[in-house]
Amino acid sequence: MIVKEGRPTVAQFRRILVKLSGEALMAPDGYWLDSEVLSRLARDLARATKAGFEIAVVIGGGNIIRGARMSAAGWIDRPTADSMGMLGTVMNSLAIETALNAAGVPARTMSAVSMPTICETYARQPALHHLDKGQVIVLAGGTGNPFFTTDTSAVLRAAELRCDAVLKATQVDGVYSADPKKDPSALRFDRLTHDEAIAKDLKVMDTAAFALARESRLSIIVGSVHAPSSVTDLLLGNVPSTIVVP
């Protein structure tokens, strides 16, 4: 495995699952979807495919609804609230699929929640076939079950689809020793192992997702896709990030 300054390079990874937050799609005025952000993300993912990466995408639904938060309010039960959140991820996924197709990249939404009149139902073998053909697959509906986050569904799908790594796009450019927004002395790690991340109690992903990544020996790249960073630059190692390796 070739490593350049602790960051991923083309020589390391080929098939990547990109995990995006739903909030990343929001407009500055708070509207749940921003067409300019969608177009920018689609162009970025198009660059990544042209650079030789095979891309799968999982996006959250937090710009529309958060099941755990709604359930905590006490007026709706968690399984129902999580089901509503899964539908939110389908809406976001269809938007990204449309933007990718407009950018000249063949894309296919596949949902863990079956809705065949809207998109293809997720199944592993067809998903692998789409990736092998050079299509970007957008994986919606979470795991199809309540009580699991889209972080967990991202790692699960990455393991199923033989991905080399999960790229988790966050608000900051990597994993820090403390919250860099609160502690100016916080240090960013270039490279960690799964065991080091656990020992240092670093919040790379939620516990279930990280445990599955560790068991599956999946590398996790953590970085920001906010300008001047991009998915492509993170994968090529051109911008700061943290890579967590087995």
Side-chain angles (χ1 to χ4, degrees):
M1 181 180 289
I2 300 173
V3 177
K4 179 182 178 181
E5 298 179 354
R7 300 189 180 98
T9 69
V10 177
Q12 278 184 270
F13 304 131
R14 181 166 179 247
R15 180 170 291 178
I16 308 293
L17 190 140
V18 179
K19 167 59 172 62
L20 299 168
S21 69
E23 287 89 341
L25 301 184
M26 293 182 70
D29 63 4
Y31 187 64
W32 71 280
L33 200 60
D34 187 327
S35 60
E36 291 185 8
V37 171
L38 270 176
S39 296
R40 178 178 60 79
L41 279 172
R43 291 193 300 269
D44 184 12
L45 292 169
R47 282 180 58 214
T49 60
K50 290 177 182 176
F53 295 100
E54 297 175 353
I55 301 292
V57 178
V58 168
I59 184 160
N63 56 323
I64 302 171
I65 184 173
R66 281 192 174 276
R69 185 177 300 168
M70 177 175 283
S71 175
W75 61 276
I76 192 167
D77 63 271
R78 177 69 182 269
T80 302
D82 281 354
S83 294
M84 295 167 69
M86 291 176 211
L87 297 179
T89 69
V90 174
M91 295 169 68
N92 285 338
S93 297
L94 291 171
I96 289 179
E97 176 194 7
T98 301
L100 283 165
N101 287 327
V105 179
R108 183 76 63 97
T109 295
M110 305 182 78
S111 173
V113 180
S114 182
M115 45 185 74
T117 60
I118 295 175
C119 60
E120 186 175 345
T121 301
Y122 173 77
R124 178 173 178 265
Q125 291 301 332
L128 286 168
H129 179 66
H130 295 323
L131 284 171
D132 289 339
K133 286 170 55 180
Q135 293 181 312
V136 173
I137 55 172
V138 188
L139 301 165
T143 65
N145 300 287
F147 301 105
F148 291 97
T149 67
T150 47
D151 272 358
T152 301
S153 68
V155 175
L156 173 63
R157 298 297 180 233
E160 286 182 320
L161 299 175
R162 301 195 293 266
C163 291
D164 299 310
V166 174
L167 169 58
K168 181 176 180 180
T170 67
Q171 300 298 314
V172 292
D173 59 355
V175 178
Y176 281 77
S177 57
D179 187 341
K181 296 180 180 179
K182 298 178 181 179
D183 184 355
S185 65
L187 299 176
R188 181 180 57 78
F189 299 97
D190 277 343
R191 181 186 176 97
L192 291 162
T193 65
H194 289 83
D195 289 342
E196 287 171 336
I198 292 171
K200 296 177 185 294
D201 194 26
L202 303 172
K203 308 302 181 184
V204 178
M205 285 182 160
D206 70 67
T207 304
F210 190 69
L212 180 56
R214 184 190 189 200
E215 181 180 341
S216 304
R217 300 189 62 77
L218 267 171
S219 295
I220 304 169
I221 308 161
V222 183
S224 170
V225 292
H226 298 293
S229 296
S230 69
V231 167
T232 308
D233 286 332
L234 285 166
L235 295 177
L236 293 175
N238 294 334
V239 292
S241 65
T242 299
I243 178 170
V244 186
V245 297

Tab-separated table of all heavy atoms in Angstrom, residues 14-15 54-55 124-137 161-162:
chain	number	residue	atom	x	y	z
A	14	ARG	N	-9.554	2.480	-5.197
A	14	ARG	CA	-10.226	2.617	-6.486
A	14	ARG	C	-11.738	2.750	-6.319
A	14	ARG	O	-12.355	3.627	-6.893
A	14	ARG	CB	-9.913	1.414	-7.381
A	14	ARG	CG	-10.564	1.509	-8.756
A	14	ARG	CD	-9.975	0.494	-9.714
A	14	ARG	NE	-10.621	0.578	-11.013
A	14	ARG	CZ	-11.385	-0.376	-11.531
A	14	ARG	NH1	-11.613	-1.481	-10.839
A	14	ARG	NH2	-11.927	-0.229	-12.714
A	15	ARG	N	-12.331	1.861	-5.530
A	15	ARG	CA	-13.777	1.891	-5.322
A	15	ARG	C	-14.075	2.555	-3.973
A	15	ARG	O	-13.647	2.061	-2.927
A	15	ARG	CB	-14.372	0.484	-5.383
A	15	ARG	CG	-15.871	0.426	-5.185
A	15	ARG	CD	-16.419	-0.955	-5.503
A	15	ARG	NE	-16.326	-1.225	-6.939
A	15	ARG	CZ	-16.708	-2.376	-7.484
A	15	ARG	NH1	-17.173	-3.356	-6.727
A	15	ARG	NH2	-16.613	-2.552	-8.793
A	54	GLU	N	-14.241	4.454	-8.807
A	54	GLU	CA	-15.603	3.948	-8.881
A	54	GLU	C	-16.335	4.449	-7.641
A	54	GLU	O	-15.848	4.262	-6.516
A	54	GLU	CB	-15.609	2.418	-8.924
A	54	GLU	CG	-14.924	1.859	-10.159
A	54	GLU	CD	-14.836	0.343	-10.133
A	54	GLU	OE1	-15.190	-0.266	-9.104
A	54	GLU	OE2	-14.405	-0.230	-11.152
A	55	ILE	N	-17.491	5.087	-7.838
A	55	ILE	CA	-18.123	5.840	-6.761
A	55	ILE	C	-19.511	5.309	-6.432
A	55	ILE	O	-20.360	5.130	-7.311
A	55	ILE	CB	-18.243	7.334	-7.137
A	55	ILE	CG1	-16.865	7.937	-7.418
A	55	ILE	CG2	-18.967	8.100	-6.034
A	55	ILE	CD1	-15.965	8.049	-6.208
A	124	ARG	N	-27.483	-6.481	-3.836
A	124	ARG	CA	-26.025	-6.414	-3.941
A	124	ARG	C	-25.519	-6.705	-5.349
A	124	ARG	O	-24.695	-5.946	-5.881
A	124	ARG	CB	-25.399	-7.396	-2.943
A	124	ARG	CG	-23.868	-7.432	-3.001
A	124	ARG	CD	-23.302	-8.288	-1.883
A	124	ARG	NE	-21.856	-8.349	-1.967
A	124	ARG	CZ	-21.183	-9.323	-2.572
A	124	ARG	NH1	-21.841	-10.314	-3.155
A	124	ARG	NH2	-19.856	-9.311	-2.601
A	125	GLN	N	-25.962	-7.770	-5.959
A	125	GLN	CA	-25.424	-8.136	-7.265
A	125	GLN	C	-25.706	-7.091	-8.345
A	125	GLN	O	-24.791	-6.717	-9.101
A	125	GLN	CB	-25.947	-9.520	-7.685
A	125	GLN	CG	-25.392	-10.676	-6.851
A	125	GLN	CD	-23.869	-10.778	-6.913
A	125	GLN	OE1	-23.236	-10.385	-7.895
A	125	GLN	NE2	-23.268	-11.284	-5.842
A	126	PRO	N	-26.937	-6.590	-8.472
A	126	PRO	CA	-27.154	-5.505	-9.444
A	126	PRO	C	-26.317	-4.264	-9.140
A	126	PRO	O	-25.829	-3.599	-10.058
A	126	PRO	CB	-28.656	-5.215	-9.316
A	126	PRO	CG	-29.244	-6.477	-8.801
A	126	PRO	CD	-28.214	-7.050	-7.887
A	127	ALA	N	-26.135	-3.946	-7.846
A	127	ALA	CA	-25.316	-2.789	-7.491
A	127	ALA	C	-23.872	-2.977	-7.945
A	127	ALA	O	-23.243	-2.064	-8.497
A	127	ALA	CB	-25.369	-2.552	-5.978
A	128	LEU	N	-23.326	-4.167	-7.737
A	128	LEU	CA	-21.969	-4.459	-8.201
A	128	LEU	C	-21.883	-4.354	-9.721
A	128	LEU	O	-20.897	-3.835	-10.266
A	128	LEU	CB	-21.553	-5.863	-7.753
A	128	LEU	CG	-21.224	-6.035	-6.268
A	128	LEU	CD1	-21.125	-7.518	-5.912
A	128	LEU	CD2	-19.939	-5.307	-5.896
A	129	HIS	N	-22.920	-4.804	-10.409
A	129	HIS	CA	-22.954	-4.730	-11.867
A	129	HIS	C	-22.907	-3.276	-12.340
A	129	HIS	O	-22.173	-2.936	-13.271
A	129	HIS	CB	-24.208	-5.430	-12.384
A	129	HIS	CG	-24.355	-5.394	-13.871
A	129	HIS	ND1	-23.488	-6.044	-14.721
A	129	HIS	CD2	-25.274	-4.774	-14.666
A	129	HIS	CE1	-23.858	-5.836	-15.975
A	129	HIS	NE2	-24.937	-5.065	-15.965
A	130	HIS	N	-23.698	-2.415	-11.689
A	130	HIS	CA	-23.704	-0.993	-12.062
A	130	HIS	C	-22.325	-0.370	-11.854
A	130	HIS	O	-21.832	0.385	-12.703
A	130	HIS	CB	-24.745	-0.226	-11.235
A	130	HIS	CG	-26.160	-0.645	-11.491
A	130	HIS	ND1	-26.623	-0.993	-12.736
A	130	HIS	CD2	-27.221	-0.760	-10.648
A	130	HIS	CE1	-27.907	-1.309	-12.664
A	130	HIS	NE2	-28.285	-1.184	-11.412
A	131	LEU	N	-21.680	-0.693	-10.729
A	131	LEU	CA	-20.342	-0.153	-10.459
A	131	LEU	C	-19.337	-0.647	-11.489
A	131	LEU	O	-18.502	0.124	-11.971
A	131	LEU	CB	-19.893	-0.551	-9.047
A	131	LEU	CG	-20.515	0.209	-7.877
A	131	LEU	CD1	-20.136	-0.455	-6.556
A	131	LEU	CD2	-20.097	1.673	-7.872
A	132	ASP	N	-19.415	-1.914	-11.825
A	132	ASP	CA	-18.492	-2.483	-12.811
A	132	ASP	C	-18.654	-1.814	-14.181
A	132	ASP	O	-17.698	-1.735	-14.964
A	132	ASP	CB	-18.711	-3.988	-12.944
A	132	ASP	CG	-18.232	-4.765	-11.715
A	132	ASP	OD1	-17.405	-4.225	-10.958
A	132	ASP	OD2	-18.697	-5.901	-11.520
A	133	LYS	N	-19.864	-1.315	-14.469
A	133	LYS	CA	-20.137	-0.641	-15.746
A	133	LYS	C	-19.733	0.833	-15.718
A	133	LYS	O	-19.880	1.537	-16.710
A	133	LYS	CB	-21.629	-0.744	-16.083
A	133	LYS	CG	-22.066	-2.122	-16.543
A	133	LYS	CD	-23.579	-2.225	-16.614
A	133	LYS	CE	-24.180	-1.138	-17.490
A	133	LYS	NZ	-25.671	-1.244	-17.545
A	134	GLY	N	-19.244	1.304	-14.581
A	134	GLY	CA	-18.818	2.694	-14.486
A	134	GLY	C	-19.906	3.663	-14.073
A	134	GLY	O	-19.715	4.876	-14.139
A	135	GLN	N	-21.041	3.145	-13.620
A	135	GLN	CA	-22.107	4.015	-13.150
A	135	GLN	C	-21.874	4.398	-11.694
A	135	GLN	O	-21.314	3.624	-10.911
A	135	GLN	CB	-23.467	3.329	-13.273
A	135	GLN	CG	-23.929	3.074	-14.690
A	135	GLN	CD	-25.293	2.421	-14.723
A	135	GLN	OE1	-25.537	1.457	-14.014
A	135	GLN	NE2	-26.184	2.949	-15.533
A	136	VAL	N	-22.307	5.601	-11.326
A	136	VAL	CA	-22.350	5.998	-9.917
A	136	VAL	C	-23.667	5.484	-9.347
A	136	VAL	O	-24.733	5.706	-9.931
A	136	VAL	CB	-22.269	7.529	-9.760
A	136	VAL	CG1	-22.493	7.926	-8.302
A	136	VAL	CG2	-20.913	8.042	-10.244
A	137	ILE	N	-23.606	4.773	-8.239
A	137	ILE	CA	-24.844	4.337	-7.599
A	137	ILE	C	-25.084	5.172	-6.346
A	137	ILE	O	-24.170	5.428	-5.568
A	137	ILE	CB	-24.849	2.834	-7.280
A	137	ILE	CG1	-23.647	2.422	-6.421
A	137	ILE	CG2	-24.897	2.013	-8.558
A	137	ILE	CD1	-23.738	0.977	-5.939
A	161	LEU	N	-20.163	-4.065	-1.059
A	161	LEU	CA	-19.820	-3.769	-2.444
A	161	LEU	C	-18.311	-3.780	-2.709
A	161	LEU	O	-17.851	-3.290	-3.728
A	161	LEU	CB	-20.421	-2.420	-2.843
A	161	LEU	CG	-21.952	-2.361	-2.761
A	161	LEU	CD1	-22.455	-0.957	-3.045
A	161	LEU	CD2	-22.588	-3.362	-3.704
A	162	ARG	N	-17.561	-4.321	-1.758
A	162	ARG	CA	-16.112	-4.471	-1.905
A	162	ARG	C	-15.412	-3.131	-2.152
A	162	ARG	O	-14.481	-3.032	-2.972
A	162	ARG	CB	-15.780	-5.457	-3.033
A	162	ARG	CG	-16.352	-6.849	-2.821
A	162	ARG	CD	-15.714	-7.865	-3.755
A	162	ARG	NE	-16.048	-7.638	-5.148
A	162	ARG	CZ	-17.053	-8.229	-5.784
A	162	ARG	NH1	-17.827	-9.091	-5.129
A	162	ARG	NH2	-17.280	-7.992	-7.055
